[in-house]
Amino acid sequence: MRNRRLKPRFSRRLYRERNLTGRFSSKLKDFCRVATRYDELAATSLR
């Protein structure tokens, strides 16, 4: 906001660490999705 007198404080180190952990958890979710994907094969669908 233009009329704000004090800028909110923010730590570059904390922002960087939070960004890193967020990206890491996103990659873990992607790998989990790939690892648990079930292929539609005739051998697996005959059960």
Side-chain angles (χ1 to χ4, degrees):
M1 299 181 81
R2 291 182 186 180
N3 59 356
R4 184 177 288 177
R5 292 185 183 180
L6 297 174
K7 290 185 176 179
R9 292 184 169 221
F10 119 98
S11 170
R12 288 188 184 271
R13 184 182 60 84
L14 287 177
Y15 182 81
R16 191 173 294 145
E17 288 177 4
R18 190 178 72 195
N19 184 23
L20 184 67
T21 56
R23 290 191 345 218
F24 180 71
S25 65
S26 176
K27 285 189 185 241
L28 280 178
K29 288 178 186 179
D30 287 342
F31 288 136
C32 181
R33 197 175 311 137
V34 169
T36 58
R37 186 181 67 208
Y38 298 107
D39 294 329
E40 291 295 324
L41 299 176
T44 59
S45 63
L46 287 177
R47 291 186 200 184

